[in-house]
Amino acid sequence: MIDNVPFPHLIKDDVLPPGLFSRFAENWPSDAFFSLDYPTADIWGLEFTHERHKHDDAAIAFWTEMETALLVVAEEVSQAFGPLIRARFGFDDVHPKILHSGLLQHGPGFARHGTHTHYYLNPEYVATCLIYVDDAGNSARGTALCADTLAQSTDELAASASRFGAADWDELRRIQPTKIAPFQPNQMLAFYEAPHSWHGVEPYAGEAPVGSRRLLRMGIGVSDDELLRRYGMTSEEFRTSYAGGSDNPEHIARFADDIRRMEAALNSINQAPAESTIPQ
């Protein structure tokens, strides 16, 4: 079931087969396999494409099984967000696939992950999946889903999203958490990559848990050819346009168009008649 507030997302329990998830801890790579992704937040990452995690036969067997399971998850998420994806691109023959997947591990210096979106940085993304592994038995450091609390229209929302990255981007503290997805083992938070899909991890209130916050991250997206067909530019050209935020009316209009396409698709879904369960 998709929840549309503050942007389309879904939360699913027991997303991986229990027998597979139960072996996660023993197959989690050692710290030496991770690289520092976000120095200011003490977040370390391991991309599956590097295959450093497949260091012996047992690890190869486990991670190969995991990759198969992730293909199933990606297909389910792509189908769930399918109407939104097709509305965004304007054609039916769009083919989402896993573009990036890997592990994230937060070190002892982790206190928060600032509010952000992926839209301008990874315009090829259509959905992000976060599969929670463990947080030292703690569930407080969940993912915050945020909204622009001052935007009164789609155009205002688009302008706010387009300015993301500017030095004074949120000087009015417009973007505030409206929901927290709790950190529960083997639970997935998947969200549609809209211009306003702001998310992060809020500062922990109280004594920080001892141990790492660990999760699997997967980005589902489209090819550069599909992006070029929709926007007339490649992913690199798209992200360059918005580096440091943009007040360009053309850019804001593009964001607004994507939001309106999403809203139209959501309205169609909500107005669609329920399927009959009565035998014919």
Side-chain angles (χ1 to χ4, degrees), residues 14-23 65-66 68-70 72-73 186:
D14 300 320
V15 65
L16 295 174
L20 179 63
F21 185 81
S22 65
R23 290 151 44 213
E65 186 177 350
M66 179 65 71
T68 300
L70 292 179
V72 174
V73 173
N186 205 15

Side-chain angles (χ1 to χ4, degrees), residues 161-195:
S162 184
R163 293 197 71 250
F164 175 77
D168 60 346
W169 164 66
D170 195 22
E171 60 182 354
L172 298 179
R173 297 290 296 163
R174 302 170 64 101
I175 314 303
Q176 295 291 332
T178 62
K179 179 178 182 177
I180 304 292
F183 196 109
Q184 302 290 352
N186 205 15
Q187 183 181 81
M188 176 182 70
L189 165 66
F191 57 86
Y192 174 69
E193 291 285 3

Side-chain angles (χ1 to χ4, degrees), residues 119-194:
Y119 184 87
Y120 85 102
L121 184 62
N122 296 107
E124 68 274 21
Y125 279 14
V126 296
T128 288
C129 306
L130 303 177
I131 299 177
Y132 301 134
V133 180
D134 69 75
D135 190 9
N138 190 283
S139 63
R141 295 189 291 189
T143 302
L145 308 182
C146 307
D148 185 329
T149 56
L150 300 181
Q152 298 296 310
S153 68
T154 297
D155 289 330
E156 285 188 23
L157 183 60
S160 181
S162 184
R163 293 197 71 250
F164 175 77
D168 60 346
W169 164 66
D170 195 22
E171 60 182 354
L172 298 179
R173 297 290 296 163
R174 302 170 64 101
I175 314 303
Q176 295 291 332
T178 62
K179 179 178 182 177
I180 304 292
F183 196 109
Q184 302 290 352
N186 205 15
Q187 183 181 81
M188 176 182 70
L189 165 66
F191 57 86
Y192 174 69
E193 291 285 3

Side-chain angles (χ1 to χ4, degrees), residues 31 34-46 52 105 107:
D31 293 351
F34 287 79
S35 301
L36 188 59
D37 274 4
Y38 304 93
T40 57
D42 199 12
I43 300 176
W44 300 72
L46 186 158
R52 293 195 301 266
Q105 178 170 283

Side-chain angles (χ1 to χ4, degrees), residues 191-244:
F191 57 86
Y192 174 69
E193 291 285 3
H196 59 296
S197 293
W198 288 295
H199 61 285
V201 180
E202 290 294 288
Y204 185 72
E207 185 177 350
V210 177
S212 293
R213 181 180 185 270
R214 306 192 295 189
L215 63 151
L216 187 152
R217 178 179 60 182
M218 180 167 62
I220 301 171
V222 301
S223 68
D224 246 16
D225 286 343
E226 290 167 313
L227 204 68
L228 188 64
R229 182 177 170 188
R230 165 68 177 99
Y231 298 107
M233 63 179 80
T234 66
S235 56
E236 183 59 34
E237 291 168 336
F238 193 105
R239 70 175 60 95
T240 300
S241 299
Y242 296 98

